[in-house]
Amino acid sequence: KPRVYIRLRPLEAEEENNCWQYGKREVHMDEHAFARKNCMGDDAGLTIQQSVQFTFDQVYGPEVDNKGVYADVVEPMLGAFLEGYNAAVFSYGQTGSGKTHTMFGSAADSRGVIFHALDKICSRCEGHAERRFLLRMEVVEIYNEEVYDLLQPDKPKLLIVDHPHKGNVCSGSNELIFTSAREGVDIVQRGLVGRAVRATAMNPNSSRSHAVVRVNVESRECHPGEPGGIIGMAEVSDWMQDSRRASLTVSAFNFVDLTGSERVKKAGTDRNKGMLKEGTMINKSLVTLGICIRELGKPEGGGFVP
């Protein structure tokens, strides 16, 4: 079942006329505050007749840092992930709302949730006495509805294919092996350097592509006398040969930093053809993702998503 968490970033100076209020699990707009502050702007064309409230699994205020978000949202999924279950975390919201800051960190908080997750994944794998683990990572971006490999210098376009054992995968992507959290962080940071970023009227560092960091784990029980933990680079060749015979547990954790939804006029992208196309593709993909998540979140399991 999908879970939805809300994180509120600190207000900018021009956002102080804010009529949204929040509690532990809800965010609501008070109609009296709305009328008094006109917090949606003079051109919004909206009127609020009564209080509007939305309920979520958890709401985090500006005082909660990335480590706190990680501890509540991501860490509870790591146990099942290392046992063979796939998992995913999406950061979703308007441009400039703090998605990339939450996922990858920023000057205000340098360690995003993915870096805390890599610490825990590696420490759990390394401390396991009865299983051996092979850790790999891919970093790709979805730009204008095309997938590109961020770990190759020329950022080649990738095809999505249906793998008989892994499901949908990016054919030809560079999948790098890592043996420690530090190596994993280096791979992520190397990939993000090539991500499409531009300045808009709403965000001076607007991500123009969805970034996906996929952590793949293979594991098996130790052979008699064999140590547990993460295998080193020198053992990869033997592992690949042995993996054809041994029963492997395989799973993937996708960390997805979605680019932000935006209003074309407000973002100022209507004056540039390239950026207008980017904005159109961004909003189209976010709408499609919303449909998929809504279907998957239905109690009966959802229907076919075209």
Side-chain angles (χ1 to χ4, degrees):
K1 172 187 172 180
R3 295 182 177 273
V4 181
Y5 302 86
I6 298 296
R7 187 181 192 189
L8 307 176
R9 64 161 171 73
L11 295 177
E12 304 287 352
E14 64 272 16
E15 298 170 329
E16 290 182 354
N17 286 333
N18 176 53
C19 54
W20 289 98
Q21 300 175 24
Y22 69 96
K24 187 174 182 180
R25 295 189 61 194
E26 75 282 341
V27 177
H28 64 274
M29 178 186 285
D30 181 78
E31 76 274 19
H32 301 298
F34 182 91
R36 184 172 64 253
K37 298 180 179 180
N38 189 25
C39 60
M40 297 295 287
D42 293 329
D43 63 341
L46 299 173
T47 58
I48 300 296
Q49 303 299 326
Q50 58 185 4
S51 294
V52 179
Q53 179 168 308
F54 302 93
T55 302
F56 306 95
D57 289 286
Q58 184 75 34
V59 177
Y60 301 97
E63 72 282 358
V64 180
D65 61 10
N66 286 339
K67 187 175 183 179
V69 174
Y70 155 78
D72 283 356
V73 178
V74 180
E75 188 169 345
M77 293 190 282
L78 295 183
F81 163 58
L82 294 176
E83 291 174 1
Y85 292 89
N86 294 333
V89 173
F90 294 85
S91 58
Y92 173 90
Q94 180 178 283
T95 183
S97 57
K99 301 178 298 301
T100 300
H101 164 80
T102 298
M103 193 64 74
F104 300 117
S106 67
D109 188 348
S110 62
R111 289 177 60 79
V113 297
I114 186 172
F115 300 134
H116 293 290
L118 289 172
D119 283 344
K120 183 61 71 172
I121 289 169
C122 290
S123 65
R124 286 193 181 185
C125 292
E126 194 58 53
H128 210 299
E130 299 175 353
R131 294 191 73 84
R132 308 203 81 199
F133 297 85
L134 175 64
L135 307 180
R136 313 174 197 243
M137 185 182 295
E138 301 166 80
V139 185
V140 303
E141 70 173 356
I142 304 172
Y143 175 72
N144 284 349
E145 297 294 272
E146 301 284 359
V147 184
Y148 298 90
D149 190 345
L150 291 178
L151 292 178
Q152 298 189 50
D154 54 347
K155 288 175 57 175
K157 188 187 300 185
L158 304 174
L159 293 177
I160 299 176
V161 299
D162 188 13
H163 190 279
H165 304 298
K166 298 181 181 180
N168 292 329
V169 298
C170 295
S171 177
S173 66
N174 201 6
E175 196 176 25
L176 300 185
I177 294 170
F178 64 101
T179 61
S180 68
R182 180 67 260 170
E183 290 179 5
V185 170
D186 289 343
I187 294 171
V188 173
Q189 292 177 334
R190 190 198 323 174
L192 293 180
V193 169
R195 187 180 184 186
V197 177
R198 297 196 199 208
T200 71
M202 294 181 69
N203 185 356
N205 296 295
S206 176
S207 302
R208 311 307 291 169
S209 67
H210 310 301
V212 182
V213 177
R214 184 180 177 99
V215 179
N216 299 301
V217 173
E218 295 179 8
S219 71
R220 63 163 172 78
E221 292 183 354
C222 296
H223 296 324
E226 191 177 39
I230 302 172
I231 70 167
M233 293 298 296
E235 304 171 273
V236 172
S237 179
D238 291 339
W239 174 277
M240 298 304 293
Q241 294 178 10
D242 181 64
S243 67
R244 300 188 185 121
R245 303 189 304 271
S247 177
L248 287 177
T249 297
V250 180
S251 56
F253 203 129
N254 291 292
F255 295 87
V256 185
D257 179 31
L258 297 167
T259 190
S261 58
E262 61 186 29
R263 293 173 62 186
V264 171
K265 278 194 173 182
K266 195 170 182 181
T269 55
D270 55 336
R271 298 185 292 271
N272 181 297
K273 276 190 176 182
M275 296 183 73
L276 180 59
K277 180 182 178 181
E278 290 172 352
T280 301
M281 292 297 187
I282 288 167
N283 289 336
K284 175 184 176 182
S285 64
L286 292 175
V287 169
T288 304
L289 176 64
I291 294 171
C292 294
I293 292 176
R294 185 175 69 239
E295 289 297 319
L296 293 172
K298 288 182 177 178
E300 62 274 18
F304 173 71
V305 181

